[in-house]
């Protein structure tokens, strides 16, 4: 397993971790100054910005773009709205390409308003991902399906396990040794750490060359909020070293990206403090 | 699929739904008066009570005992504590037998204090369940392993999917057509509704005659608390009719049991109101 000690250049900072306290230009400078090797911006930070210029600015700061967050939810109550969601994602893929992002992170969405039909939502995800995969190939940006924790199945993602995400990858883009997959997965420990099949499915994803991103934070006990109470690495119960070992055994060589949603704790702290603690914990607890 | 309209005798009330507002004797009377066919009491209600007498009282009220809740968590930081947990559960199994319970509900526990080793906790669960299965056979009470939602993996249950529970059943009690399984599962829609494998695993459980209990409530959007914000059937997004259909197709003929933890809503209402709404929703929304 790679050591991260003294190697923040192997690590990325997902900007959500900073609670969007400053503009993307300042965030880029702060992340570079803290020693990280990559950054993963969010679409909200690029509103009213030229993605190509932000991409240049990121490169000028010595950073890579480990991923671009994230897709508009796919499932919708009407066909018209579904197609609008696809179109929205095509524009986001254009931005991801202009940024030079390693992948476009797909959080696929849950049940449309008023629906209890999880199967139908999942079929929409499959159709929508197929449509976007075509476009992503043209744009040269890989799609990273991020399975979300089952507690988000209703309202954020009906894609809930790594096995399910890999089944979808294989259905839409059958294995072909001659070409690099453009459809893969973003594995976030927060969403997947509990899964009894995790080691097996990480190995499967590695064999299929579909491990596109690796996100870390921690699971706090107790967890006080379903969305905004993620922990700093080391403060919770996830076996972070164990999971990273599995990832790297499976061939993952990309960034170790910190992504923490923490409304009542980390987001209330100054950006430079958050970055310093993230950097320290990446080296000591991941 | 059975109709539940006019058939509350097919339904059970898990007493946790009432927020433990009154003593078990009063709860038994209220549940019987509301028309339910069965009740599932909790151990805390039987402290300082004679289980055999409570069992008789339940039968005298015309009720069955659909299950007895629930096991002491198995995993522990020390061997001594682990064995004490097993012993605790043996005493609970004695009570379940005295009550005449259809099954003893096993919520297996999560990580021991200070541990990040989910695999080790799961191995303790396997060992502990094996020990208890021997005892349960002697007591004549089936063990119903209840997989809990992955959001409880750290602190309540490292058994998180129906597939995982069935794997454990098969490891400890291989299929044998000549005898009735004494190890099976309690399926609670709250914990399992999101699982892409649910239909397949329900069918598998049915073939193995391991469907011992079926619990209903609903998943609210938004969910404001990880533990105490379960919804009344019909108020959330779970396809209750669809899942019950799968259960009954798989051969389940036991009670449809309501179990709702609702600190800020239902538990604040009078017992008779809760029972009336549960009865109505069982008939209209399940």
């Amino acid at each position: 397993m790679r050591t991260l000690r003294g190697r923040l250049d192997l690590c990325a900072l997902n900007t959500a971790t900073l609670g969007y306290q400053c503009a993307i230009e300042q965030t880029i400078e702060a992340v570079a100054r803290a020693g990280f090797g990559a950054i993963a911006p969010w679409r909200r930070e690029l509103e009213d910005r030229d993605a190509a210029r932000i991409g240049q600015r990121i490169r000028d700061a010595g950073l890579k773009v480990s991923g671009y967050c994230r897709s508009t939810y796919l499932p919708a109550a009407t066909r018209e709205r579904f197609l609008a969601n696809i179109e929205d994602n095509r524009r986001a893929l254009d931005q991801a390409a202009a940024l030079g992002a390693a992948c476009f992170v797909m959080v696929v969405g849950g049940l449309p308003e008023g629906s209890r039909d999880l199967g139908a939502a999942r079929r929409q995800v499959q159709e929508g991902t197929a449509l976007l995969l075509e476009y992503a190939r043209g744009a040269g940006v890989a799609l990273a399906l991020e399975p979300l924790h089952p507690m988000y199945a209703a309202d954020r993602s009906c894609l809930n396990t790594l096995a399910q995400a890999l089944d979808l990858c294989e259905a839409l883009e059958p294995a072909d040794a001659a070409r690099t997959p453009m459809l893969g997965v973003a594995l976030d420990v927060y969403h997947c750490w509990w899964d009894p099949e995790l080691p097996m499915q990480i190995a499967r994803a590695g064999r299929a060359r579909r491990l596109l991103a690796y996100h870390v934070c921690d699971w706090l006990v107790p967890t006080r909020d379903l969305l905004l109470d993620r922990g700093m690495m080391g403060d919770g119960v996830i076996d972070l070293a164990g999971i990273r070992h599995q990832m790297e055994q499976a061939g993952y060589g990309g960034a170790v990206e910190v992504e923490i949603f923490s409304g009542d704790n980390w987001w209330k702290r100054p950006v430079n403090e958050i970055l310093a603690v993230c950097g320290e914990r990446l080296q000591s607890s991941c």
Side-chain angles (χ1 to χ4, degrees), chain A:
Chain A
M1 186 160 76
R2 300 177 292 182
T3 182
L4 299 183
R5 193 158 298 277
R7 294 301 306 275
L8 284 187
D9 59 303
L10 299 176
C11 300
L13 196 289
N14 183 299
T15 61
T17 308
L18 307 177
Y20 310 107
Q21 295 183 47
C22 43
I24 185 66
E25 292 83 356
Q26 284 74 58
T27 299
I28 292 165
E29 301 313 317
V31 170
R33 210 163 47 232
F36 288 85
I39 190 170
W42 280 63
R43 286 162 72 188
R44 57 190 281 177
E45 295 174 301
L46 264 75
E47 281 172 19
D48 312 314
R49 296 291 199 286
D50 179 298
R53 289 183 62 164
I54 296 293
Q56 188 59 52
R57 192 155 183 151
I58 290 172
R59 285 186 293 281
D60 290 346
L63 298 171
K64 294 176 181 166
V65 179
S66 53
Y68 186 42
C69 291
R70 63 171 170 68
S71 56
T72 298
Y73 298 154
L74 301 173
T78 66
R79 187 74 189 166
E80 185 181 12
R81 184 69 215 151
F82 171 75
L83 293 173
N85 293 344
I86 301 299
E87 193 50 33
D88 238 32
N89 282 316
R90 289 192 177 118
R91 298 293 75 78
L93 275 165
D94 293 338
Q95 288 186 306
L99 278 171
C103 62
F104 180 57
V105 177
M106 299 268 296
V107 173
V108 300
L111 293 166
E113 182 77 28
S115 169
R116 291 189 176 93
D117 192 342
L118 209 45
R122 286 168 171 160
R123 287 188 292 277
Q124 285 192 52
V125 167
Q126 175 151 350
E127 183 190 355
T129 304
L131 293 170
L132 288 173
L133 180 57
E134 279 304 305
Y135 196 83
R137 287 208 181 98
V141 178
L143 298 181
L145 293 167
E146 184 172 7
L148 253 55
H149 195 286
M151 69 186 173
Y152 304 122
D155 47 356
R156 294 176 187 277
S157 173
C158 56
L159 193 69
N160 303 107
T161 64
L162 188 50
Q164 188 192 2
L166 292 170
D167 287 349
L168 182 53
C169 290
E170 289 170 10
L172 297 183
E173 188 187 49
D176 178 348
R179 69 177 180 191
T180 301
M182 290 297 279
L183 184 60
V185 295
L187 188 146
D188 187 315
V189 296
Y190 194 73
H191 300 304
C192 298
W193 74 278
W194 59 272
D195 188 348
E197 290 193 11
L198 190 61
M200 181 194 336
Q201 297 297 333
I202 287 176
R204 172 187 170 195
R207 283 192 302 273
R209 297 176 296 155
R210 299 205 196 262
L211 291 170
L212 301 183
Y214 178 55
H215 299 174
V216 296
C217 65
D218 216 333
W219 181 277
L220 299 177
V221 179
T223 291
R224 299 180 191 284
D225 186 272
L226 275 79
L227 185 61
L228 301 182
D229 195 24
R230 297 193 192 186
M232 180 63 66
M233 299 78 72
D235 289 347
V237 298
I238 300 178
D239 176 17
L240 291 163
I243 298 177
R244 185 162 71 86
H245 180 72
Q246 293 164 24
M247 288 288 289
E248 298 190 4
Q249 283 286 107
Y252 182 71
V256 178
E257 177 178 323
V258 182
E259 184 182 34
I260 303 176
F261 300 171
S262 172
D264 281 340
N265 183 359
W266 296 100
W267 286 0
K268 292 187 169 169
R269 306 198 192 194
V271 163
N272 287 331
E273 179 187 343
I274 305 172
L275 289 169
V277 178
C278 287
E280 189 265 306
R281 297 295 182 85
L282 279 163
Q283 298 179 69
S284 66
S285 306
C286 291

